[in-house]
Structures are given as C-alpha cells and as structure tokens.
Amino acid sequence: MGRATGVPVSNEALRRHAEELLARPVALDDLALAFDEASAASAEVLVEGESFYPPMLADIEAAQTSVHINQFGFRPGVVGDRFADALIRRAKEGVRVRLVVDRQGSAPEEAAREHYERLIAAGVEVGVVRATKPRAVPGLLGGDGGLKWNLSGLGHIDHRKVVLVDGRIGWVGGAGIEDHFQDGRFHDLFLRVTGPVVSQLQLVFVASFRWLGGEIPSEELDGLFPEAATGEIPAVVLHNAPGKYRPITDQIARVLDGARETLDVVNPYVTDRGMIGRIERAARRGVRVRLFVPANANNWACAAAQQFHHAKLLDAGVRILEYPTMLHAKAFVRDGEEVLAGTCNLEAWSLKRFFDRSPGPLGGPGGAVRGAVQCSGGSGVAPRQRADRVQAAREGDRLRRALAAPLALSR
C-alpha cells in the first residue's frame, strides 16, 4: 500500500542515499522520497515550446557528463526528432544519456518503436513505466527476458516531465517532447532551475531508473551530484510516487487553504471535489481567486466534470478565465509569495495514483513573485461566459506575455 510518510533524505545525504540505491534492489516504496528545504541559485519560467525547447536543447548539446530525462510523452515528430538527434550526438560523444518514459504517453514499444530503436542503438538507456501492462519484460527497453508480473506498477502512470544536465541544470514543467507543445495547440511552461535543489531532482531520477532495472556505475556519482553553492531562492522537490505519501497533493491543499489575499490556479483538469471545495472556501473567506482553465479541454470527460462545478465556484466569487487554446500548464500562486508548478492536475488520478513532480514551493514568507505564473491585473482571457469567446481569443496574447515574464524571487 505504500508509506504514509516518505523516506527522509537530508540535503547532506543525497549522494550517500544514491550510493545505497545503486548497491541494492530498489522497490516502489523507495521512490517515496521526502526532502528538506533546499535552494535554487536561479529559477526561470519559460512559456510555450518556442521559448523553452531551444534553451533546453542548448543545455543538452552542452552536456559534458550526463543527460537524464523523465518524460511522459516523448514521441517522433519535428520536436521529438530534434531532441533524439541531440541525445544521439551526446551519447556518441561519451555522455551518459538515460531516459525514463511512460508506455502510454510515449509508446516506445508500439507507434514510436523506430524512434526508440534509434536511441538505443546510439547507446541511450531507456526505462519504461508500464502502468497498463499486468505482465512485462523487466529491465531496460530492448533487453531480453521473459514476462513477469507487474502488479505493483499497474495504474501508476508516469506523468513526470524532467530534464537534468550534468547534475547542475534542472528543467521541470508540464509539456511533453511533442509537436503540439511547439505549434500553439497546447499552452504550457517549464521551470529551469540551477543550484542545490537539482540534486533532489537527480535522486528521484536515480531511484526511478534503478526501480526499472537500470544500472548506474558508482563512479558517476560525483558528476551526478556535484557540489553547488547555496542559492537565494528557497526551493524543495515534491514527488508524488504511488502510495500514501503524496507531498504535492498535500502542498497544493496547503497553498489553497493558506491564501490570505490572492490565489491564482492554472490547471487543465479541475475535477477533484476536495480541491474544488478548497478553492470555493478561499473565495468565500474573501481571497481574490482566479481559476485559469482551457476553453476547450482535450479530454471531454474532464471538461464536463470540471464545468459541472463552475456554477458554485462563480457563486462563491471565483473568477474563471478560459484560455482560447488547450491550456495544459499546472501552477499555483499564493499571495504573490509562493509558486508551486509542475505536472500535477487537480483530478483524482494525478493527485492520488500517478507519478508527478514539482519543484516547489518557490518563494516563501517575505518573498515576491512578479509576472511569471501570476497574471497581472486580471489581464489574459475573458471570464467564463459562452458569449465571450471572441474576447478571450483577443486577450490570449496578453496572458501569454504575462506568463512569459521572468520569475523574480527574493527573500
């Protein structure tokens, strides 16, 4: 059933804990990692694929020792091929390239088979989370062996989207490596962070890769967990692994319950009754609440469930704003002080069963978040009224500019 509390790992013990994971089999419970607050030396929000893919690729191209990617959706296409080419070049130059992908989102054994065969042939190591397969071949993609039961992994989709370069640069966001995040059909963001918090992201990857049967030589640990000077931005990695320990879910609840003046929620699938109730109560106690959702969600069932709750949210005073294209970002901003962003949707599967990850909260008491995920002055998209779709389309570019502003935090 999983742990009710996570496996505590202090910032001083990250490398040591990784060394322990390399020396023994890793179980699903070992992925329930609980971290102390760390820091980031820099944190930047980039909005839309045209903004975050080029610098992400530049970081990969500049990698000297390792590239680790955990991705729900990595498929062939204009974007996917560009990333595959970059990873293959680095692997051929001796950089250790490892991937953890989701079978449902990336289809490495079905539609995208040739894409992954090309990566593996170049030396890229690929672990696959097979949440819909009761029996699966253990170990990395392309390995030999017979089918074994996969009961512990059933139903636990890997929804994470993370890129780690040389243990020094971390990217966390909501977008896959897919064309619809580049061509404007889907609207999303990524956070690029540096500093000590990257080592927490790295440990989660190491634990996940080992759980899937991957091997990492212990002599790589110094490069995977390099020394980093303490940054000025307080940050901690929250990681939802299957089981009872769900720190992202708990932190979202704390953000919603702790808002005193303002609360901005950006999420594509807002269907969980408990979280909706928290948003409603925040508005009723006088918090200015704005809920940003897609005008036309790509999942009709989630869209219908979400809209069922809109009447009571509007009645409580929540301002619901619809983005004209598929708004896929997931972010929460409390009182202009705290940002929580990552991959977690406000629906039961993501909150209670999926693998998800968030580099947050960023900020903290006395901090300030300006621009970035927070949308200034109510600009952006029109309030939720069917007659206002034209106005929503006109104002969409204003939301994009507000979201694209750099993240500025100070203690």
Side-chain angles (χ1 to χ4, degrees):
M1 292 296 292
R3 303 170 183 266
T5 57
V7 180
V9 184
S10 69
N11 292 322
E12 295 74 23
L14 294 169
R15 186 194 183 283
R16 185 168 65 251
H17 193 80
E19 191 168 14
E20 294 173 6
L21 295 177
L22 301 189
R24 62 173 174 81
V26 173
L28 189 62
D29 278 0
D30 292 318
L31 274 62
L33 297 165
F35 297 115
D36 295 337
E37 183 180 283
S39 65
S42 66
E44 181 182 9
V45 174
L46 295 128
V47 181
E48 308 289 20
E50 62 187 13
S51 297
F52 52 72
Y53 287 140
M56 192 183 296
L57 280 165
D59 284 341
I60 291 171
E61 294 279 15
Q64 298 298 306
T65 57
S66 66
V67 177
H68 288 171
I69 296 178
N70 189 173
Q71 180 55 255
F72 171 74
F74 180 14
R75 292 175 178 256
V78 174
V79 174
D81 291 350
R82 196 176 299 152
F83 271 79
D85 290 345
L87 295 173
I88 288 170
R89 283 193 293 272
R90 299 321 297 144
K92 288 182 176 180
E93 290 293 324
V95 174
R96 299 304 299 263
V97 180
R98 300 181 177 96
L99 309 180
V100 170
V101 299
D102 184 80
R103 176 182 177 270
Q104 181 170 315
S106 296
E109 298 163 312
E110 294 87 14
R113 180 188 297 271
E114 292 184 7
H115 180 73
Y116 283 90
E117 287 176 345
R118 190 163 73 95
L119 289 163
I120 292 170
V124 176
E125 298 176 273
V126 183
V128 182
V129 176
R130 300 176 175 92
T132 59
K133 300 285 284 187
R135 287 170 64 81
V137 177
L140 300 182
L141 187 64
D144 298 324
L147 293 174
K148 292 189 176 181
W149 289 107
N150 180 42
L151 299 182
S152 67
L154 279 179
H156 302 303
I157 297 291
D158 193 341
H159 197 233
R160 298 171 291 184
K161 292 98 172 174
V162 179
V163 176
L164 300 167
V165 178
D166 293 341
R168 298 183 182 279
I169 299 169
W171 290 83
V172 184
I177 303 175
E178 299 172 282
D179 287 352
H180 52 267
F181 293 100
Q182 169 75 26
D183 60 20
R185 284 176 287 163
F186 275 47
H187 178 80
D188 217 316
L189 60 84
F190 258 91
L191 283 160
R192 183 185 187 273
V193 296
T194 63
V197 74
V198 177
S199 289
Q200 295 183 351
L201 292 169
Q202 187 76 279
L203 184 61
V204 174
F205 182 90
V206 168
S208 302
F209 192 74
R210 290 284 296 121
W211 173 61
L212 293 170
E215 299 287 340
I216 300 175
S218 59
E219 55 265 27
E220 289 187 36
L221 288 176
D222 286 343
L224 296 178
F225 296 89
E227 292 290 332
T230 301
E232 295 184 357
I233 304 166
V236 61
V237 168
L238 305 176
H239 177 238
N240 275 5
K244 295 180 180 179
Y245 181 64
R246 309 292 287 178
I248 301 176
T249 304
D250 294 342
Q251 185 62 32
I252 291 172
R254 283 192 286 269
V255 167
L256 301 181
D257 291 345
R260 304 180 304 276
E261 298 177 1
T262 63
L263 176 64
D264 286 338
V265 176
V266 183
N267 210 272
Y269 312 116
V270 185
T271 63
D272 182 79
R273 286 180 179 271
M275 294 298 182
I276 290 168
R278 293 175 188 276
I279 295 171
E280 178 187 3
R281 290 193 292 275
R284 292 193 183 281
R285 65 174 180 265
V287 177
R288 188 206 68 182
V289 181
R290 295 183 295 185
L291 173 62
F292 294 85
V293 295
N296 295 293
N298 65 327
N299 184 309
W300 68 266
C302 281
Q306 178 171 279
Q307 290 171 9
F308 173 80
H309 298 282
H310 280 183
K312 69 176 182 181
L313 290 173
L314 290 166
D315 183 64
V318 176
R319 190 175 184 213
I320 302 176
L321 302 111
E322 293 187 326
Y323 196 74
T325 58
M326 177 54 200
L327 179 65
H328 192 256
K330 306 100 164 78
F332 306 82
V333 183
R334 178 192 62 77
D335 296 324
E337 295 180 349
E338 183 177 330
V339 174
L340 184 66
T343 65
C344 194
N345 297 316
L346 287 184
E347 42 83 17
W349 283 95
S350 201
L351 291 167
K352 299 174 183 176
R353 292 189 65 85
F354 288 0
F355 288 95
D356 274 297
R357 197 168 344 186
S358 172
L362 296 169
V369 180
R370 300 185 292 276
V373 180
Q374 184 180 7
C375 306
S376 60
S379 65
V381 292
R384 188 186 178 277
Q385 297 174 10
R386 291 293 179 185
D388 283 345
R389 290 292 167 81
V390 173
Q391 180 67 14
R394 286 195 192 110
E395 295 189 2
D397 284 342
R398 295 171 63 193
L399 175 59
R400 182 177 306 183
R401 290 194 295 272
L403 288 172
L407 184 67
L409 300 109
S410 60
R411 296 206 79 158

